[in-house]
Amino acid sequence: VDRFAKNFDQMGVLRERTTKVLGKVTKGDNIKFDGLSRVAHVTDATDWRVEYPFVVLTPDTEEEMAALVKGCVELGLTIIPRGGGTGYTGGAVPLTWKSAVINTEKLEQMTEVEMVTLPGLDKPVATIWTGAGVVTQRVADAAERGGFVFAVDPTSAEASCVGGNIAMNAGGKKAVLWGTALDNLASWKMVTPNGDWLVVERLDHNFGKIHEQDLVRFHLRHYAADDAACRKPLGEKTLEIPGRQFRKEGLGKDVTDKFLAGLPGVQKEGCDGIITSAVWILHRLPAHTRTVCLEFFGQVREAVPSIVEITDYFKPGGAGLAAGVQLAGLEHLDERYVRAVGYATKAKRQGTPKMVLIGDIVSDDEDAVMAAASSVVRFANARSGEGFIAVSAETRKKFWLDRARTAAIAKHTNAFKVNEDVVIPLPRMGDYCDGIERINIELSIRN
């Protein structure tokens, strides 16, 4: 009992010392010991709860970050970086009471699209600079305003922050075409565990998936904690890593590989430093996009091979890629997810689908993209599935964003045969009728 009572005295002393040490770095209002702040940072999306943090720090600017880390080290506090708190691995869950959660959500400064010549390249490319606390969807919106696409697109885009996207090497539905966060970073800035600055810059960016580049080079520069502008490097070196080391052959992103060939920051979940800002590359989509929604009602073991069939169709040697068509996004919803979100089944069948696939198919050739979408629908038809094709931007957005809330599309029962190889499904008129492809050629009905 005496030891328990003394803990309160020790905590009081540590609070006073923390306020004094960190108060030199940030405003007093950003040093939070109150119950509401601590409760709000006791867990993340996992809902695991172990210990309340001792203090929550909410710095106003990126420049404060290094000194805050140094102060926490001086105070003997375990440091936990946190952004939107959407992680499902428990990376933001305090495991000891003597911990400081550094929340980066105020680091929300960002630019619009900028044309920049990156190291090793000979012409400007579209980029965007973001603070670590910028919500992922805001970056996507800014890219769209400039006529470009931001490739990092996790399901949590409306709530997650880009600092966490880097720390987790987040992907999303567009990863099938442009890769994960690692593939789309031009550079990033972070604070190391000893409180220094580290800037990591990728050289000779290939604007594709990183494992497709034979040799990948990164330039690392270290700066002192009081050199937030990064003017006088304390040391620098270049990492040269074979591209194939960044992906597990036949699997893609390897979540077990936290070392990632020694590259700092990415996929480390905040264990080797805190991401504070980044520069991202942006992409241009081809002129025409079709979004397909495939619902499978048979056995899961029969439906799953369709994922391989679809991706193979758009790989080198596949008929889709040969026709100049690419798969720009693909998302898989299993039966548990479908039930959990109250998915609105588009097909007029009893029960919910065992599996749902939603994908974006893109090309500069409108006829080719529609033919490819039709082929993908036929893959589903062959495996007890039904497919729907959205054309208008509004309808495509509904397929992606409102899949758990929209009314069901009436089941398509007929098909128009364009030729022996291409069959276009024709939905009945329903909520999405304005977005369904119109075929302005003479067609014959196949019952």
Side-chain angles (χ1 to χ4, degrees):
V1 173
D2 287 341
R3 284 199 305 270
F4 180 72
K6 289 179 181 178
N7 284 339
F8 289 99
D9 296 331
Q10 294 170 359
M11 187 175 290
V13 172
L14 184 57
R15 282 189 177 185
E16 291 180 7
R17 187 171 169 228
T18 299
T19 302
K20 182 177 180 180
V21 171
L22 301 184
K24 300 174 183 177
V25 180
T26 190
K27 295 177 182 177
D29 291 343
N30 296 336
I31 306 170
K32 302 178 184 295
F33 298 105
D34 64 282
L36 181 60
S37 297
R38 294 169 64 216
V39 167
H41 292 77
V42 73
T43 187
D44 54 13
T46 62
D47 206 30
W48 296 336
R49 298 164 191 272
V50 181
E51 289 280 359
Y52 289 96
F54 169 68
V55 64
V56 176
L57 306 175
T58 58
D60 293 313
T61 65
E62 182 180 28
E63 288 72 24
E64 299 171 23
M65 294 291 289
L68 278 179
V69 170
K70 274 193 174 297
C72 288
V73 171
E74 178 185 337
L75 293 163
L77 300 176
T78 297
I79 302 169
I80 301 174
R82 179 190 170 103
T86 61
Y88 277 104
T89 62
V93 177
L95 300 181
T96 170
W97 73 266
K98 205 174 180 182
S99 58
V101 174
I102 302 182
N103 188 310
T104 63
E105 287 181 301
K106 288 185 184 178
L107 308 186
E108 57 181 0
Q109 298 76 22
M110 62 181 290
T111 65
E112 292 295 313
V113 176
E114 299 177 315
M115 301 304 292
V116 177
T117 302
L118 300 177
L121 303 183
D122 56 4
K123 60 181 180 180
V125 297
T127 66
I128 194 165
W129 175 88
T130 66
V134 176
V135 173
T136 310
Q137 188 59 47
R138 285 186 60 208
V139 188
D141 294 341
E144 187 176 356
R145 287 194 296 271
F148 294 89
V149 176
F150 180 52
V152 182
D153 187 22
T155 306
S156 60
E158 298 283 353
S160 63
C161 298
V162 295
N165 293 162
I166 298 170
M168 295 290 294
N169 193 13
K173 63 178 182 287
K174 298 188 183 80
V176 68
L177 181 57
W178 292 308
T180 59
L182 172 61
D183 303 81
N184 294 280
L185 282 163
S187 64
W188 61 97
K189 186 176 179 181
M190 58 188 289
V191 179
T192 64
N194 60 1
D196 292 334
W197 294 101
L198 173 60
V199 176
V200 183
E201 192 171 36
R202 184 170 169 184
L203 308 177
D204 310 312
H205 207 295
N206 68 341
F207 288 88
K209 295 179 180 177
I210 196 166
H211 63 278
E212 295 174 350
Q213 193 168 2
D214 291 335
L215 186 67
V216 186
R217 299 192 304 139
F218 295 91
H219 189 208
L220 280 60
R221 298 191 303 274
H222 290 266
Y223 300 87
D226 58 358
D227 187 11
C230 297
R231 294 191 176 94
K232 300 177 180 178
L234 299 176
E236 53 188 304
K237 67 176 181 179
T238 300
L239 285 180
E240 295 187 345
I241 306 167
R244 68 181 187 283
Q245 287 190 227
F246 289 102
R247 295 288 188 268
K248 194 172 185 67
E249 188 173 353
L251 180 63
K253 175 183 170 182
D254 183 0
V255 296
T256 68
D257 181 12
K258 296 302 177 186
F259 185 64
L260 210 62
L263 183 66
V266 179
Q267 207 161 296
K268 307 297 190 300
E269 302 185 38
C271 290
D272 69 341
I274 305 177
I275 307 294
T276 60
S277 62
V279 176
W280 305 86
I281 64 166
L282 305 176
H283 303 272
R284 278 198 185 277
L285 267 180
H288 304 286
T289 303
R290 299 291 181 268
T291 298
V292 294
C293 179
L294 310 176
E295 299 176 342
F296 298 87
F297 293 88
Q299 294 295 322
V300 174
R301 64 177 178 271
E302 298 171 355
V304 167
S306 61
I307 300 174
V308 178
E309 292 173 347
I310 292 169
T311 54
D312 283 349
Y313 183 78
F314 295 99
K315 284 181 179 178
L321 191 60
V325 184
Q326 295 176 295
L327 186 63
L330 186 66
E331 184 169 322
H332 164 258
L333 314 179
D334 64 20
E335 186 177 11
R336 291 175 300 173
Y337 184 90
V338 167
R339 292 182 181 279
V341 301
Y343 175 83
T345 306
K346 297 170 179 58
K348 200 174 262 187
R349 291 199 187 190
Q350 294 295 323
T352 56
K354 300 293 185 183
M355 184 178 86
V356 176
L357 291 179
I358 303 175
D360 277 340
I361 301 171
V362 298
S363 175
D364 287 320
D365 184 332
E366 188 171 11
D367 293 334
V369 76
M370 191 58 203
S374 303
S375 295
V376 168
V377 168
R378 288 198 296 165
F379 292 151
N381 295 155
R383 296 189 177 276
S384 301
E386 301 199 24
F388 303 86
I389 304 172
V391 178
S392 72
E394 180 183 356
T395 309
R396 287 189 280 107
K397 187 174 182 180
K398 283 183 178 180
F399 273 22
W400 280 115
L401 300 181
D402 297 336
R403 55 186 178 271
R405 299 181 295 275
T406 54
I409 296 180
K411 173 188 172 184
H412 65 280
T413 55
N414 294 325
F416 285 128
K417 186 166 75 169
V418 179
N419 56 47
E420 293 300 321
D421 298 318
V422 181
V423 176
I424 309 297
L426 178 67
R428 292 175 179 172
M429 293 302 150
D431 294 333
Y432 291 89
C433 63
D434 291 337
I436 300 299
E437 178 71 74
R438 301 288 199 262
I439 310 296
N440 296 318
I441 59 178
E442 186 176 349
L443 301 170
S444 62
I445 295 178
R446 185 185 71 181
N447 291 325

